[in-house]
Every structure is written in C-alpha cells, then in structure tokens.
Amino acid sequence: MLEARDLMVFYENMLALNNVTIRCEAEEIVGVFGANSAGKSTLMYAISGIMEDIRKKEEMAGGERITILGTITYLGQEITRVKPSKRAKMGIILCPERRRIFKESSVLENLRIGAYLASPSQARETMDYVFTIFPALQKLKKRVGGFLSGGEQQMLAIGRALMAQPKVLLLDEPLLGLSPLIQAILVRTTKEIRDEKKISIVITEQYARPVLPIIDYGFILENGAAVLEGTREELLGNPDVRSAYFGV
Ligand code: ATP
C-alpha cells in the first residue's frame, strides 16, 4: 500500500539515501534498522513529505541544495511531490525522532493539537483510546510536556500522532534513550495499536532486537543503502544479520 522506490536524497553532494526501495503493506509492521547516520530519519522525512518542505525552505533561504529522486506511491497514487499536509490528510502521519512534543503545553493540549485532522467525535474517541493504552498519561493530563519523563514524552508523541487518525504511522526511533522496561511497554503497545486500529506501522530503530518480535518485515540500511530485507524469520535466520544487527 505504501512504497518508496529507488529513493535518493542528496544534501548538497552528500548522498544520504542511495536507491532505497521499501514497502509496507496494509496492517503490517515494518522495521527499518540502521546505525547512526544510516539515513533512517531522511527516509521518514521523505515518506512523510517533510523533506519536500525542508528542501523548499532551504532553497528560499539560499541554504543547502537538497535533491530528492525516486517515487513514493500510496494506495496506488504517486505522492512523491505531494505536500506533507496533504499526505497527513491521506493518513500518513510521522511521529518524529526525539519526540518533539510541545514542551510548554499540557498533555491534554498536546493531544488536542494532534487532533487537527479529526472530527470532534473521532478526537474524543481517540483521546479515550490513548488514555487506555497509556494509562500513565491519564494521571498527567494537566502536566506540561517538558515536565514528563522521556518515556512519558514518547507515549505522548505516539498519542498525539494517533489523534491525527493515521492509516500509516511512521515511528522514528521511538525507543531512543529509554529504559528496557519502557521500551518493552512501547513495543507491546505498538503491536496493540496495529492489531486494534488495523493500521500500518513503519518503525525505525538503531537496534533491531527490541522490536524484532513484533515486525512482519524488515529492512537494513547501511550508509544510506538498503542492504538487506526479509521477513522477521528470514532476518533472524541469517547468521550475519543475527550477530551484526540483532545481538543474538
Ligand atoms: P540518527 O540515528 O543519527 O538519527 P539516521 O539514520 O536517522 O541517524 P539521518 O539523520 O537520516 O540518519 O542522516 C543521514 C545522513 O545525512 C547523515 O550522514 C547526516 O549527517 C546527513 N544529514 C542529515 N540531515 C542533513 C542536512 N540537513 N544537511 C546535511 N546533511 C544531513
């Protein structure tokens, strides 16, 4: 349902994504794994369309030249040049790296801001849903985002993304810097969200191991190139992959 084909992104002459093709089918959880600087965020920006905005802003400001090549299709429609706001309306919602919640706004306000694409009844329903899957947030409704722990901020960031009614949720390194216990909660909840909301999820991580149990399919990025892909079983069955990426 979502495919990025032969994607190339240059920051000036620096090739950040080199001919990357990735796919995510309906109701799948797809993992994209790679070390620091492998190109994970660039890929998420390209799929969500934010890369187009960054490119235009840089061009207007006379800053660095960003070039994007390749095609992105969603539900049979090419969206390579479609604005990020329109992609969000189509259901492609990014939950960005390092959470980026509104630190001065309360939990409730953050969630309401996320609901800009939802009808009032969808917003009410989704807010209840967010508090069901993240009960920790329920008690913190009035607290401002900046005073939440890292794990709570990540729950809020995912909650805010859900408020926008995603059909494809892009989670960029949601586990970064969090304790194994919080990571386990977030991984379990990610699967619950897919199962209950019947949406597709693309999740990037530096370390594959914590999310491996929930992915249907995975890609490995190295220096901007997709060097390997396969089902969870295929990736796990590859001895090089096991030791290099999964630490198992
Ligand atoms: P991380 O885990 O550090 O977030 P990543 O896999 O998300 O890494 P990207 O952020 O996509 O990697 O970066 C890919 C490459 O592109 C890196 O070498 C990075 O330094 C470079 N890069 C990213 N943004 C820019 C930019 N605006 N200008 C120039 N180079 C950039």
Side-chain angles (χ1 to χ4, degrees), residues 11 14 16 35-43 64 97 173 206:
Y11 297 108
M14 205 283 259
N36 262 333
S37 300
K40 303 180 297 295
S41 297
T42 301
L43 178 65
E64 67 181 348
E97 192 187 357
E173 295 200 59
Q206 196 164 340

